Amino acid sequence: MSDLNDNSLNINLLKESVLKRLSESLDKANSKGWRKLGEIVKSDKRFKVSLDDMDMCSLKVLEIDGSPSRTLLKLIGDKGCMLGDLVEFLQIMDQTDALQCLKPSGIQILVQPLSVSVIAGHNLRLSCCAVSASHVQYQWFKKTVEVPNSFSADLVFSPVQVRDSGFYICRVNSGNTYEFSHWAQVDVLDVPPRYGLVSLVSEGRPKVVIQPQPQRLLVGDSLNLECGAIGRPLPQYQWYRNGVPIKKAIKRKYTVDLLLPEHRGRYRCEIFCNNERTWSNEVDVIIENPCHPEMKEKRISPEISGAMECSEDDFLTNEQDYSFEKPYATDKVALLIGNLTYRNHPQLKAPMVDVYDLTNLLRQLNFKVVSLLDLTESEMRNAVEEFLSLLHKGVYGLLYYAGHGYENFGNSFMVPVDAPNPYRSGNCLCVQSILKLMQEKETGLNVFLLDMCRKRNLHDEAMPNVMLKVTANIVFGYATCQDAEAFELSSSGFTNGVFIKFLKKRLLEDEKITVLLDSVAEDMGQFDPTKGKQALEIRSSLSERRSLTDPIRPGDYSDPTQAHNLLWSKAHELPENRILDFECGVQIKMDFAAEFSNVLVIYTSIVKKPEEMMSCQAHITNLPLDLDVDPKLMNKETLEETGSFLLSGSVPQHCLYTRLSSIQKLKEELAFTVCLQVLFNTLEDLVQWNMDVNIGKPLTAKLDLNRPTLKLNCPLTCHMPHSPSTSPSHSPASDCRFHSQEPNFPQQYANPYLNVCEPLHGAVGGYRGFQMHAGHTYQYESMPYSTFLTPPSIPIETTDDIDDMQNEFMNSLQLYNHP
């Protein structure tokens, strides 16, 4: 709705276009102009306008484009003048022209066009949807130039070209009034087509398609680094050098015109899009001194030519630059599994939050992440098989598991949600069996993060034997120590388990992975509620300085490998949003969000409703039986009512939401019915329309994890000295986690105290504080969970000043003022 409907709005917050028209009207008026307004305001003791203030406004006529009225409005706005006050003053003046400028247009823009970054050659649609008491018409402008034949709510580029980059705005006309949409920036990236590139981008999730390149330059040369990501809304950028953000380096391209030795270092770019973040590759920029013997024959730029002195240090510095080489990955892939809704065992809570947080962090490190909740045995095996298919020479592979588990004879077992009670090794997945298969891939780094119990399973007497090779670059991080139980904190809200609580604070650090985990172990050791009860255990055969922040230098892969990479990437790809047009004239917008790779949220909103309708509602029905969705949890007005607690800060409000979990169980494409129920002004009964919708196989349904699978059992055991399954720990022993007996999620902040319950074979948990059986109470710091969902406050990258562009546009409207 227009700001002009809110009388409590400070006049300084009115749109610039409104203030400009108002100022022009008052500047041109004589007896009813700005001086008269100043006299009336001066008589109101709330605003205290003095004679000096009036003289200052009067002097503005001596300036080019100076406006006494605009200065007076700014002055009284600073003193707290609201829109209602200004309207009252103008009514006393009988200033009808100025009041017309403040008259609400009656046009309500429901859907604003969003800034976006896309790849040239793809299709693009900018949408603006508005309602009014009378018929609305649309006009689109690129800056001040009207886009030809653009008279619909959607501005379509098919396909979009580099020349289409720029700023767009939509003018909505209704009778003699009009309203402007927000500005939308379109950034079109000229990226050569390559195999495996995602053709469409999900809202809110940036994907880097242009990586900065390492450079070796001379002092005095110019540096040009470029990074590009596709995303909606438009991704924002922040460049870093040696881990420190560079001031004002917030555009896609970072340039230094005249290089100095201190500009050498490691550069990378952080990309933001809503609450999602990711990183470009990190690259070396080497600045060579022209006095070095090998540089004598090279061209020296005019700015540094002339007499120069060189010392022995110059040669030593350059020799160090030549020898510097950071380890790199040929790719980075991660599989994250969180099991919490067990059929025959106690329910868990924190795996959901832990997997969600870890997913977002690993994506910032350029890992291809698939995150899954509540997998059966066959689904877990198929997910691991897909994960293994991506591992090749030099690839960094990371497997995280949170849920029930146990350890027998040095082998760790992950428990699926459908495991019987009691369970044995035949019902579970052996971690060492997975490691054996990973070793055969010649990976650059294998990281296992196991957030589970490691207590002996007395119901399982099998002694599996895994013939592990003596290989390097294997790291195990156990949330608890060997032969220790794991507990979960009974919580009154959502939180991480103790391991992820501290790991997520360190994960983005540019440290050797074992050094990073050692720091996490020390942090956990200082955590009073679990001190002496839970300690991180690290086992490693790492022989190189490998870190999760290492850059990616893609290797040469075969077509089947590229196909697997593409399929894995698409396992977190959302369907396109939809506009559903019903015969009755109602228009519904349908959007999608991914809470996890196998949890889809569908949300719908009505964006167009004819005047003759009193009300209308749209519901999703007839979902596939594979998904087993409770109808009582569908089409809810809040996400929390559907069972989704993690996306509330990243999706629009005032929609109807439906959460579909276990997407991996889909055997066919996801098809359902949208049922529209309308109540007309002239009818007493509801009228219903149905529309069938098919969105294909979304998210991880593309991986077909429900297919039959072969078990990867461990038939024999043969420990090897100093292998990851027997090597000494870096960290001390002892562990506990505190299990919640509540299977359902309680209301957030209901109770700040937590009760320690009996230990079970569970994993993850903890929130705000807990109470020991002996009655001792501990309190510790905690941030509300929603803080990480808050989008960063970063301005849109622009090549022009928005205010100047707005003024230029408004000045040009006299050419396009037709309805």
Side-chain angles (χ1 to χ4, degrees):
M1 186 67 71
S2 171
D3 296 337
L4 300 178
N5 290 281
D6 186 2
N7 284 334
S8 63
L9 183 73
N10 187 288
I11 62 174
N12 284 341
L13 299 179
L14 291 172
K15 291 182 178 179
E16 185 62 31
S17 58
V18 174
L19 288 171
K20 184 174 182 180
R21 294 199 302 270
L22 179 61
S23 300
E24 290 175 348
S25 176
L26 292 172
D27 284 340
K28 294 175 182 177
N30 294 321
S31 60
K32 296 182 181 180
W34 68 271
R35 287 187 182 276
K36 181 65 175 177
L37 175 62
E39 293 173 1
I40 294 176
V41 174
K42 188 170 60 174
S43 63
D44 192 315
K45 296 181 180 180
R46 291 176 298 169
F47 306 116
K48 300 179 181 179
V49 175
S50 66
L51 290 176
D52 290 339
D53 292 333
M54 294 295 290
D55 290 341
M56 178 187 67
C57 295
S58 180
L59 291 173
K60 289 296 178 180
V61 298
L62 301 177
E63 300 179 7
I64 300 176
D65 297 330
S67 170
S69 300
R70 185 69 182 87
T71 305
L72 177 62
L73 292 172
K74 175 70 167 59
L75 176 67
I76 63 176
D78 291 340
K79 295 178 181 292
C81 182
M82 303 300 173
L83 177 60
D85 301 323
L86 181 59
V87 170
E88 182 180 343
F89 297 147
L90 294 175
Q91 287 173 342
I92 294 173
M93 295 168 56
D94 194 25
Q95 193 14 302
T96 56
D97 291 341
L99 285 169
Q100 187 66 28
C101 297
L102 298 178
K103 183 179 179 181
S105 66
I107 299 172
Q108 182 180 5
I109 297 182
L110 302 177
V111 177
Q112 296 281 359
L114 291 178
S115 296
V116 63
S117 177
V118 295
I119 297 174
H122 290 177
N123 294 333
L124 172 64
R125 180 193 304 268
L126 296 180
S127 297
C128 176
C129 184
V131 294
S132 178
S134 57
H135 179 67
V136 296
Q137 295 177 314
Y138 300 89
Q139 287 175 277
W140 287 90
F141 296 84
K142 182 181 181 183
K143 277 201 172 180
T144 61
V145 179
E146 186 175 3
V147 179
N149 302 316
S150 59
F151 303 114
S152 68
D154 295 325
L155 180 61
V156 179
F157 302 86
S158 182
V160 68
Q161 303 296 331
V162 175
R163 63 176 179 270
D164 295 320
S165 295
F167 291 87
Y168 292 83
I169 194 169
C170 184
R171 168 173 163 156
V172 182
N173 305 287
S174 179
N176 295 323
T177 62
Y178 61 87
E179 189 77 25
F180 285 97
S181 72
H182 298 163
W183 285 99
Q185 182 181 357
V186 175
D187 188 13
V188 184
L189 306 182
D190 189 10
V191 179
R194 68 185 187 206
Y195 189 85
L197 187 65
V198 178
S199 59
L200 296 170
V201 62
S202 303
E203 289 197 13
R205 188 175 303 287
K207 178 177 178 60
V208 181
V209 295
I210 299 177
Q211 295 282 4
Q213 299 300 313
Q215 299 187 34
R216 187 183 294 271
L217 301 166
L218 295 177
V219 172
D221 284 349
S222 61
L223 170 66
N224 294 285
L225 294 173
E226 182 179 4
C227 176
I230 54 176
R232 186 194 299 267
L234 187 76
Q236 315 304 323
Y237 300 86
Q238 173 63 60
W239 286 91
Y240 286 73
R241 185 174 71 87
N242 297 330
V244 178
I246 304 171
K247 291 183 179 180
K248 299 182 179 180
I250 57 173
K251 296 187 177 182
R252 283 205 306 110
K253 297 180 180 180
Y254 175 66
T255 302
V256 179
D257 294 328
L258 185 64
L259 282 174
L260 299 174
E262 55 264 32
H263 289 124
R264 67 165 57 94
R266 301 185 61 79
Y267 289 78
R268 66 172 174 167
C269 188
E270 186 178 20
I271 301 103
F272 302 85
C273 193
N274 274 347
N275 60 298
E276 300 286 346
R277 295 193 303 167
T278 189
W279 292 86
S280 71
N281 293 343
E282 191 171 38
V283 297
D284 294 321
V285 174
I286 298 173
I287 313 299
E288 296 172 332
N289 194 311
C291 293
H292 193 278
E294 294 187 10
M295 299 296 107
K296 287 183 178 179
E297 301 301 323
K298 293 188 176 182
R299 176 184 59 84
I300 301 176
S301 60
E303 292 82 357
I304 61 170
S305 62
M308 301 183 67
E309 294 185 3
C310 301
S311 66
E312 184 178 350
D313 292 338
D314 296 325
F315 305 118
L316 293 176
T317 301
N318 281 283
E319 288 171 2
Q320 292 169 357
D321 287 340
Y322 293 142
S323 62
F324 181 78
E325 181 67 24
K326 182 180 176 67
Y328 65 89
T330 55
D331 202 357
K332 297 180 184 179
V333 293
L335 172 62
L336 279 54
I337 300 175
N339 286 343
L340 54 154
T341 311
Y342 282 87
R343 301 175 186 176
N344 305 303
H345 305 280
Q347 309 289 291
L348 304 174
K349 291 191 296 185
M352 180 175 71
V353 183
D354 286 348
V355 169
Y356 189 89
D357 276 1
L358 197 57
T359 297
N360 292 329
L361 290 169
L362 289 173
R363 286 204 174 102
Q364 295 177 43
L365 297 172
N366 288 323
F367 273 83
K368 297 175 181 175
V369 183
V370 165
S371 57
L372 303 168
L373 292 187
D374 290 333
L375 298 187
T376 63
E377 180 190 345
S378 62
E379 291 167 351
M380 285 183 71
R381 295 188 187 280
N382 285 329
V384 169
E385 181 181 344
E386 292 292 335
F387 172 67
L388 292 173
S389 70
L390 300 175
L391 302 183
H392 302 278
K393 186 173 183 179
V395 174
Y396 286 13
L398 184 147
L399 175 63
Y400 171 80
Y401 170 74
H404 289 311
Y406 70 95
E407 185 170 304
N408 274 12
F409 308 108
N411 292 285
S412 302
F413 294 89
M414 303 180 291
V415 181
V417 294
D418 62 340
N421 189 2
Y423 47 73
R424 295 176 174 82
S425 59
N427 314 121
C428 306
L429 273 73
C430 176
V431 175
Q432 280 68 28
S433 292
I434 300 171
L435 173 59
K436 180 179 184 295
L437 296 174
M438 293 176 72
Q439 287 181 322
E440 298 170 358
K441 305 283 188 173
E442 299 183 55
T443 44
L445 178 65
N446 298 322
V447 179
F448 291 84
L449 302 176
L450 301 179
D451 219 343
M452 65 183 202
C453 179
R454 297 173 65 197
K455 193 71 176 175
R456 173 90 165 83
N457 183 0
L458 300 178
H459 300 285
D460 185 11
E461 296 298 329
M463 298 181 64
N465 190 358
V466 183
M467 302 297 293
L468 292 175
K469 300 177 181 178
V470 180
T471 56
N473 296 337
I474 301 171
V475 178
F476 275 81
Y478 294 95
T480 185
C481 294
Q482 192 171 12
D483 201 31
E485 291 175 319
F487 299 78
E488 187 178 68
L489 289 172
S490 174
S491 99
S492 58
F494 299 104
T495 185
N496 298 111
V498 176
F499 178 35
I500 298 299
K501 171 184 172 65
F502 293 102
L503 177 65
K504 72 177 185 179
K505 297 178 181 179
R506 300 274 188 180
L507 197 66
L508 299 181
E509 295 178 0
D510 186 18
E511 293 284 359
K512 185 179 178 181
I513 179 62
T514 49
V515 173
L516 185 149
L517 289 175
D518 273 329
S519 298
V520 175
E522 293 173 4
D523 294 342
M524 289 175 61
Q526 300 302 314
F527 187 47
D528 287 335
T530 55
K531 184 180 292 185
K533 302 178 182 68
Q534 178 168 354
L536 177 65
E537 182 175 336
I538 307 165
R539 296 183 177 182
S540 167
S541 63
L542 194 61
S543 60
E544 300 172 308
R545 193 192 180 281
R546 300 274 179 173
S547 67
L548 299 182
T549 59
D550 289 344
I552 297 176
R553 298 181 187 175
D556 296 327
Y557 295 143
S558 62
D559 287 343
T561 301
Q562 293 283 22
H564 281 298
N565 285 335
L566 176 61
L567 188 62
W568 189 263
S569 298
K570 286 181 174 291
H572 207 79
E573 182 180 304
L574 286 170
E576 283 189 86
N577 56 22
R578 306 286 181 93
I579 297 293
L580 307 180
D581 291 302
F582 285 82
E583 295 178 357
C584 59
V586 172
Q587 194 174 71
I588 295 174
K589 189 171 187 288
M590 177 179 293
D591 291 276
F592 307 91
E595 195 171 33
F596 298 91
S597 299
N598 65 336
V599 178
L600 179 71
V601 174
I602 305 175
Y603 52 101
T604 59
S605 58
I606 297 174
V607 297
K608 183 179 179 182
K609 178 175 71 70
E611 297 178 16
E612 62 270 17
M613 294 181 182
M614 183 179 299
S615 65
C616 59
Q617 289 185 329
H619 296 84
I620 293 174
T621 61
N622 298 332
L623 285 166
L625 297 177
D626 297 340
L627 297 180
D628 192 24
V629 181
D630 186 350
K632 296 179 182 179
L633 301 180
M634 296 172 56
N635 303 296
K636 295 299 182 180
E637 294 184 355
T638 66
L639 276 167
E640 289 74 13
E641 292 178 273
T642 70
S644 176
F645 299 88
L646 303 175
L647 293 176
S648 58
S650 58
V651 298
Q653 298 179 347
H654 310 301
C655 298
L656 288 183
Y657 308 91
T658 297
R659 182 179 189 261
L660 307 180
S661 58
S662 301
I663 289 293
Q664 77 278 0
K665 298 186 184 302
L666 275 175
K667 295 182 174 63
E668 305 294 337
E669 294 182 337
L670 179 53
F672 50 87
T673 302
V674 177
C675 176
L676 176 67
Q677 294 180 327
V678 175
L679 181 61
F680 287 91
N681 296 329
T682 56
L683 298 176
E684 295 184 358
D685 297 328
L686 289 173
V687 182
Q688 180 171 305
W689 283 266
N690 292 333
M691 182 179 294
D692 293 330
V693 177
N694 187 319
I695 62 172
K697 283 194 170 185
L699 303 179
T700 197
K702 301 179 181 71
L703 296 179
D704 293 328
L705 299 185
N706 52 52
R707 66 184 184 271
T709 184
L710 296 175
K711 293 187 177 182
L712 303 176
N713 287 337
C714 313
L716 302 169
T717 294
C718 179
H719 294 305
M720 305 190 70
H722 306 299
S723 72
S725 61
T726 57
S727 59
S729 167
H730 286 275
S731 305
S734 163
D735 159 28
C736 76
R737 306 197 79 158
F738 306 91
H739 180 77
S740 167
Q741 295 178 336
E742 279 290 330
N744 297 320
F745 290 92
Q747 293 296 320
Q748 196 168 8
Y749 312 123
N751 183 353
Y753 298 98
L754 309 175
N755 298 318
V756 177
C757 305
E758 290 299 319
L760 294 166
H761 294 289
V764 303
Y767 185 71
R768 299 189 74 182
F770 69 90
Q771 184 175 1
M772 303 292 289
H773 280 306
H776 301 292
T777 301
Y778 297 83
Q779 294 288 333
Y780 61 91
E781 172 196 5
S782 177
M783 296 290 292
Y785 184 73
S786 62
T787 55
F788 85 97
L789 290 173
T790 304
S793 179
I794 298 177
I796 292 178
E797 175 191 346
T798 62
T799 55
D800 303 275
D801 184 85
I802 286 289
D803 292 335
D804 291 344
M805 187 175 64
Q806 175 78 16
N807 293 336
E808 178 187 357
F809 175 72
M810 297 307 300
N811 289 335
S812 69
L813 283 181
Q814 55 186 343
L815 302 176
Y816 310 102
N817 207 24
H818 55 276

